Amino acid sequence: MAADRAIEHAIAPKSVRATAAPFNSPLLKASQQLNVHYMYHAIVRYLVRRTWRRAGAGDFDAAVAMAAPDVHFRFLGDTALGADVHGREAFRAWFDTFERHLPGLRLELEDVVANGWPWNTTVAARLRVTGTLADGTPYRNTAIQWLTLRWGKLTDDLVLEDTLTLSTALARQASARVDSDVTPKTTA
């Protein structure tokens, strides 16, 4: 302890030495706890960004790998993508449905915030959804994701997207599929 104070005295500027809290002070302990808290949140934000980079490129297994076996996933809205499912397999199946209805869409994480401790972490993410629909129409939407992590595993995932924009896109996709099924195919 005396050695620690001697080191602090040797490297700290005089102005800091006069106001610095002793190593065993509640102020220093609170400061250290906050530093750990901030570091943990930085790590969580990094992991979420990394997962979304992979998922945004079509590797949805990255999100599924982060999920707890009993994950609860909800995609709000009365559309073909609306879901309220439990379990990793059902979560993976939702991504298959998403890819079947809106192939090639790009998901990009715009912002992420984290709060809480490892046993109960809340993460909020803002996503940009972009792509081109089957009829050539550009698709742009925003989604908000509210996650709960426990010890690094996704236990709850709630997604809110502009459902009017999504419904319109899904209707265009269905119409383009019907049109392509009716259009005579030419052979060379």
Side-chain angles (χ1 to χ4, degrees), residues 66-90:
M66 193 175 185
D70 61 342
V71 64
H72 182 199
F73 173 73
R74 290 163 291 160
F75 189 97
L76 298 186
D78 189 18
T79 68
L81 295 180
D84 187 346
V85 299
H86 292 268
R88 204 179 277 150
E89 294 78 23

Side-chain angles (χ1 to χ4, degrees), residues 9 12-19:
H9 183 77
K14 235 181 213 180
S15 61
V16 172
R17 274 188 255 149
T19 59

